[in-house]
Amino acid sequence: MALYSQRNDRLNGLALCAGVGGLEVGLHIAEPGYRTVCYVEREVFPAATLVARMADAALDNAPVWDDVTTFDGVPWRRKVHLVTGGYPCQPFSFSGLRKGEDDPRHLWPSIRRIVSEVEPEWCFFENVEGHLSLGASTVIGDLRSMGFRVKAGLFSALECGASQIRRRVFIMAHADKVAILQPDRTGAFVGRDEVQGRPHSNGLAGCSGKGGAPLDAHLAFDESLRGDANTDVQVPVFAPAPHQFASWAEILDRRPDLQPEFFGLGDGLENRMDRSDAAGNGVVSLAAAYAWRTLKAAMLKGN
């Protein structure tokens, strides 16, 4: 238990089905002491993106394993505080056949095995809205059978200021045999006191709770995109929605270089499909940060 007796100045994470790292970026926002120590991702483009983000220091330098079904969690036992994962959504998605456990892309059994091998203090998983009615009860039941207390919620990118809804299920688990770590000097994990009844908003104002470090700073405007010194036009983190013509006009008047690109049906299709696929399966990092803080606050309150 020595690993968990320390204060929360360092939180080591193992990222399963890591994709392009959106969930990991969210955890860096929500937990300043977080560090990814290993990624597991089999798709070539997401794995290459992870390497590129390590090179530009957006993500932690760590090895990348190529297959969650062959990954051995035993060597990582007592070295990892947190196991994260955005396991494939195709078995549960409303846009698919919803074969659940009969889908060959169903990877929860491998995730469950690795969790049992690693014995982390925390687990944090993400999946599509359809997971609520197919598969989530199994995941929650398996985690409880392994000695975890579980909190879950449905969160949207819209709540964090994005122009898309993108509802996602986030599942948090904490090992019952381990006392929940107290807040560190940054108050990084303090979040909302309630999971239910949180308002939909265009930002994260107030979501940190009393004494917490708010996420609002991560929604701040990029000073490098202001334009000339005589204007107060600012570029937001999230682009305006397609129908928000006035917002686009205000931005493009000052920054015409940000003009959206328009392509024909076949233009660049082949070399852009991997990006489109990665984005479609990706996690909005601010939504992940919001979900982590909200669920962790509920977990602390329940403790």
Side-chain angles (χ1 to χ4, degrees):
M1 306 298 291
L3 177 67
Y4 303 129
S5 65
Q6 303 169 14
R7 292 180 63 83
N8 198 16
D9 294 325
R10 174 58 60 85
L11 194 65
N12 292 334
L14 168 62
L16 307 177
C17 303
V20 295
L23 192 61
E24 298 306 293
V25 173
L27 283 165
H28 278 289
I29 293 171
E31 293 276 5
Y34 180 71
R35 176 173 180 250
T36 311
V37 296
C38 184
Y39 306 90
V40 183
E41 176 54 52
R42 67 178 299 175
E43 298 293 333
V44 174
F45 178 78
T49 301
L50 292 175
V51 174
R53 298 292 75 77
M54 287 186 246
D56 63 22
L59 290 173
D60 297 310
N61 286 313
V64 181
W65 190 265
D66 65 353
D67 192 348
V68 73
T69 64
T70 62
F71 183 81
D72 183 5
V74 173
W76 297 93
R77 184 179 298 168
R78 319 311 295 170
K79 299 179 178 67
V80 172
H81 304 87
L82 170 64
V83 171
T84 71
Y87 45 90
C89 65
Q90 289 85 350
F92 321 112
S93 175
F94 289 131
S95 62
L97 299 177
R98 288 173 61 83
K99 292 185 177 181
E101 295 178 359
D102 296 326
D103 194 304
R105 295 163 292 188
H106 181 56
L107 292 182
W108 170 249
S110 294
I111 305 291
R112 179 184 59 208
R113 170 186 59 80
I114 294 170
V115 169
S116 67
E117 292 171 348
V118 173
E119 296 183 354
E121 179 182 359
W122 296 94
C123 297
F124 191 51
F125 302 119
E126 173 271 343
N127 217 284
V128 294
E129 184 177 6
H131 195 30
L132 282 175
S133 57
L134 181 63
S137 60
T138 298
V139 171
I140 292 171
D142 286 347
L143 289 169
R144 286 174 174 166
S145 70
M146 288 189 284
F148 289 94
R149 190 152 47 91
V150 182
K151 296 285 184 181
L154 186 66
F155 299 82
S156 75
L158 186 65
E159 293 175 90
C160 301
S163 57
Q164 56 177 311
I165 298 176
R166 193 179 285 247
R167 294 189 183 94
R168 291 293 184 266
V169 177
F170 288 89
I171 300 172
M172 172 180 283
H174 182 266
D176 275 340
K177 63 184 179 181
V178 180
I180 295 180
L181 293 171
Q182 296 301 308
D184 66 6
R185 59 181 174 272
T186 69
F189 62 69
V190 180
R192 283 188 186 271
D193 290 331
E194 300 292 341
V195 176
Q196 303 298 326
R198 61 184 190 282
H200 289 256
S201 67
N202 289 325
L204 292 170
C207 77
S208 65
K210 183 178 181 181
L215 296 179
D216 299 61
H218 298 280
L219 288 172
F221 293 105
D222 188 341
E223 294 293 333
S224 67
L225 301 179
R226 275 183 174 272
D228 63 66
N230 297 320
T231 179
D232 59 357
V233 174
Q234 299 172 322
V235 178
V237 171
F238 293 112
H243 67 276
Q244 293 175 328
F245 302 116
S247 297
W248 274 112
E250 184 180 21
I251 292 172
L252 294 176
D253 281 348
R254 300 294 184 180
R255 290 296 306 274
D257 56 304
L258 297 178
Q259 180 72 38
E261 295 178 336
F262 294 93
F263 297 93
L265 290 177
D267 291 342
L269 183 63
E270 181 177 357
N271 66 7
R272 293 172 66 91
M273 282 297 291
D274 48 6
R275 301 181 187 184
S276 177
D277 182 63
N281 291 324
V283 180
V284 176
S285 297
L286 284 172
Y290 180 31
W292 171 269
R293 289 196 175 180
T294 302
L295 295 175
K296 192 167 184 181
M299 191 78 75
L300 287 165
K301 185 176 182 179
N303 193 48

